[in-house]
Amino acid sequence: MLPWTVIGLALSLRLARSGAELGLPASALQGDLLFLLDSSASVSHYEFSRVREFLGRLAALLPVGPGALRASLVHVGSQPHTEFPFGQHSSGSAVQDAIRAAAQRMGDTNTGLALAYAKEQLFAKAAGARPGVPKVLVWVTDGGSRDPVGPPMQELKDLGVTVFIVSTGRGNLLELSAAASAPAEKHLHFVDVDDLHIITQALRGSILDAMWPQQLHASEVTSSGFRLAWPSLLTADSGYYVLELAPSTDPGAARRQQLPGNATGWAWTGLDPDTDYDVALVPESNVRLLRSQHLRVRTLPEETGPELIVVSHARPRSLRVSWAPALGPDAALGYHVQVGSLRGGAAQSVEVPAGENSTTLQGLAPGTAYLVTVTAAFRSGRERALSAKACTPEGERSRAPRPQPQRTGGREP
């Protein structure tokens, strides 16, 4: 046997042994990756071909294989359609060829329906999905949908799916930020369809990070909770987990949760803001001894909504509204400004992106009292609102013509 072969074998055995001691599998990266492609009539044939080429190149860079990463492609249209299921293709180049051969389906943009279908595919053995491996969804969209996206997307994230969104259109920043996994700056990309190649390497790295076996770790941290995830250490038949949570300053107030052996994640909610919590994951196995894993997580400061609404530049048909913005690590994703007459009738709304704290309300009626409400939306799903009254001034009244002075006597010159 060659000397470098001996060295390589010894190193492999050492790495496998250290991984077993930590309770981590010695196998390579594993995971199920689902590409959700907008194939509806809202996307031009040119845009569809550019996105298809982008996804093909991305797939070619990923370690696709039977014991590694598996990929599937689902079309968004009037009805969702699977182009190919998990496990059908055993290499990145084969997935690339299959994506390039995919034809546009056309029809309506029913993304919510496709997301519910994607949830079934990601966890269905019939679709080639595997239990106990990381799940990743990459959704490429032009930004629009005929049906709601938020609820089915939240169900996916509650099941531990990591969601990446690539928007090539003018999608609603607030809605897409809430739909993507947190933090949005890592999981949401706004890119022109001709510049998709710019994000290929970064997106590839993020996908691999989401799928690589890791120790116990936290994500989606808010002021009232966080999500925990860990590699598959047990099976449903080989044992169970005990998950413990306690404030660092009060260990006696511990909370415990028992989970089945095939669990790989859990979300803690109802926690105090700006507080350190100690987490312990205890695998109870009837096959082998596994070490407990420990983690300390600090919740974010309490979310603070808009404060001190100021109305200025009042005109007969417009008002300028400003407010003190939400601050801190868990700052608002954006603001929703609504104005309605105190006399009743239809209200109008304006969306203001994060980072801005003022807007001008147009199309109002002169001499009318209004109620203005500014609502901050946070990543946790919570909202904070503040209202104030404002009044437009009366419009300029038309002036009567000035009477001409009456001449008495005399002759005109």
Side-chain angles (χ1 to χ4, degrees), residues 51-70:
V51 171
R52 186 175 55 188
E53 182 65 21
F54 160 70
L55 289 181
R57 290 180 179 178
L58 176 63
L61 297 174
L62 296 171
V64 176
L69 187 152
R70 293 183 181 179

Side-chain angles (χ1 to χ4, degrees), residues 35 49-62 92-93 95-97 99-100 193-198 200-201 203-204:
F35 294 114
S49 66
R50 299 299 297 166
V51 171
R52 186 175 55 188
E53 182 65 21
F54 160 70
L55 289 181
R57 290 180 179 178
L58 176 63
L61 297 174
L62 296 171
S93 59
V95 173
Q96 181 181 30
D97 291 341
I99 292 176
R100 284 175 169 174
V193 72
D194 290 318
D195 296 324
L196 286 168
H197 63 278
I198 295 174
T200 302
Q201 289 294 341
L203 183 56
R204 172 188 178 272

Side-chain angles (χ1 to χ4, degrees), residues 282-302:
V282 184
E284 298 288 357
S285 173
N286 51 27
V287 176
R288 56 179 175 149
L289 180 63
L290 295 172
R291 293 174 53 184
S292 300
Q293 298 184 27
H294 299 268
L295 182 69
R296 175 168 290 185
V297 184
R298 187 177 187 86
T299 53
L300 298 179
E302 188 171 12

Side-chain angles (χ1 to χ4, degrees), residues 12 51 77 87 90 92 116 142 151 162 196 219 308-309 315 342 370 388 400 406:
S12 297
V51 171
S90 57
D142 65 351
T162 302
L196 286 168
S219 63
L308 191 64
I309 293 180
R315 302 287 187 270
L342 292 178
Y370 287 94
Q406 298 293 324

Side-chain angles (χ1 to χ4, degrees), residues 12 22 34 82 96 136 212-213 215-216 305 341:
S12 297
L22 291 172
L34 190 146
T82 299
Q96 181 181 30
V136 172
W212 199 264
Q215 290 279 62
L216 174 68
S341 171

